[in-house]
Structure formats: C-alpha cells, structure tokens
Amino acid sequence: MPKTRGARRREQRARHATAPSASAGMRLPWGKITLGVAALLGVAGIAFVAITGAGSSTVDPQLEALARETSGGEVRVLQGSAHTVYHSDALPTSNEPRADGRPTLVWFSGTWCHFCERMDPFAWETASDFGDRVVFLEKSIDHDRGAASRFGVRGTPTFVLLDARGRELARFFYQADRSSFASTIEAALARVGVG
C-alpha cells in the first residue's frame, strides 16, 4: 500500500532527527559568536552613519530667527541626517484658539527628510511674505507624533492650513521652488477666504 504524504514526511523527519550532524560532538561557542555578530553590527552602524552623513544638517541662524518670527514664539532646533527642523510646540486648538484669528500653516517635516531640506532655501522666506495673513510654523513628526497622528500626516513634507481653532482648512505637499510654494499658499488662503 502506498504511503500517504503525511506518513512520508513523518518518516523523513524521523530519519533527519537521528542522522548525525556535521558538527556532532562539537559545541559551538555561542558567547563568542554573539560577540562577533554584535561587533559586526556596530561596524555596520558606523559605516551607515558615515555613508549617509547622519548629523550633517546645519543650523542657519537667519532661518532660526525667521522661524521664531513667523511662528510667533519659541522653536527647538532639531538637527538630523538631512534637515534641520525649527520645531514649534504651538498649535491652535478649540480650547486655546489664536486670539488674533489668523490661520496657521503647519509644515510637518523630519530631520531625515531630504525633500524638506530642498525647500529650506525658500520655504521660510516665502512663508514670511504671508506673515500678515498667516502664522507659519514647523513641526517634527518624530517629536510631536500626536499632532502628526491628529492630522493624518503620512509623509513629509506635508503642509496643513488650520483655522484659528485648529481645524484643518487645506493641505498640500512638496513644492519645488519659491514661486510654486507662494502660489500654493495663496491658493489655499483664497480657497478658505483669507484675503
């Protein structure tokens, strides 16, 4: 009578379990192996940092001053592998609305965001041109995961326009140059009636 597939598998397992292994009688030095693997991972981590340039973003004192001015408050400077984030903790909420009634444009970014870094040469200056109509601030999604989650931010850069009570009015993403960024801000403000 032919054997069933299950019977053949059980037979193979039994033969394998009783067959002598190539290392029979040898004990592996697991402590040394573990130490060797840890050393290799450490070297790989150092190589990764050297190759990717982690920690290579720089603080621009002019951008830092502009960030403080446009956000209307304090900022934390967060440096990373690609981008320096001028992080603000201020966000309007229904419990703490903006007293002046102005909307807030929030730039959700990350210290590892290369597209955010590409926008640095023009983002802050462009946003400051709208300073009489909108407050502009930057949020690191790694340092304020709650805000990123609240607004469903799935990638960076993401720009979210909020009303004075913190409700989302408009949203847009990466802009390649100053003029497209300015026209996108202008269109978002016009769409919600902020002249």
Side-chain angles (χ1 to χ4, degrees):
M1 180 160 114
K3 293 181 184 178
T4 65
R5 180 188 256 173
R8 283 193 306 264
R9 284 189 182 155
R10 284 190 295 278
E11 198 174 271
Q12 286 173 343
R13 284 189 206 122
R15 268 186 293 190
H16 181 70
T18 59
S21 69
S23 61
M26 292 178 53
R27 284 190 63 139
L28 293 175
W30 288 110
K32 290 181 182 178
I33 290 172
T34 304
L35 192 58
V37 169
L40 283 173
L41 290 175
V43 169
I46 291 168
F48 175 79
V49 169
I51 291 168
T52 60
S56 64
S57 65
T58 59
V59 177
D60 182 333
Q62 291 176 327
L63 286 184
E64 185 178 357
L66 201 51
R68 290 181 198 290
E69 180 184 319
T70 61
S71 67
E74 286 303 307
V75 296
R76 276 188 293 160
V77 179
L78 306 170
Q79 290 181 269
S81 60
H83 177 63
T84 299
V85 177
Y86 300 96
H87 178 84
S88 173
D89 286 323
L91 271 185
T93 65
S94 58
N95 294 335
E96 294 182 37
R98 286 196 56 84
D100 60 9
R102 287 190 301 166
T104 302
L105 181 58
V106 184
W107 177 8
F108 287 97
S109 66
T111 58
W112 37 264
C113 176
H114 291 282
F115 286 103
C116 300
E117 184 64 17
R118 289 182 191 173
M119 292 188 70
D120 251 357
F122 60 84
W124 287 102
E125 289 180 11
T126 305
S128 72
D129 294 342
F130 293 89
D132 58 331
R133 296 187 285 163
V134 68
V135 174
F136 182 69
L137 57 89
E138 187 174 13
K139 278 245 178 241
S140 165
I141 65 169
D142 295 319
H143 288 80
D144 194 342
R145 291 177 192 264
S149 176
R150 175 178 158 203
F151 293 105
V153 174
R154 304 235 188 289
T156 59
T158 297
F159 296 87
V160 179
L161 182 64
L162 307 174
D163 70 6
R165 299 182 64 76
R167 294 176 299 222
E168 182 173 336
L169 301 171
R171 172 181 299 237
F172 59 92
F173 306 97
Y174 174 74
Q175 302 296 306
D177 56 49
R178 181 183 177 99
S179 65
S180 63
F181 188 47
S183 63
T184 303
I185 293 172
E186 190 67 59
L189 292 173
R191 195 168 39 241
V192 298
V194 177

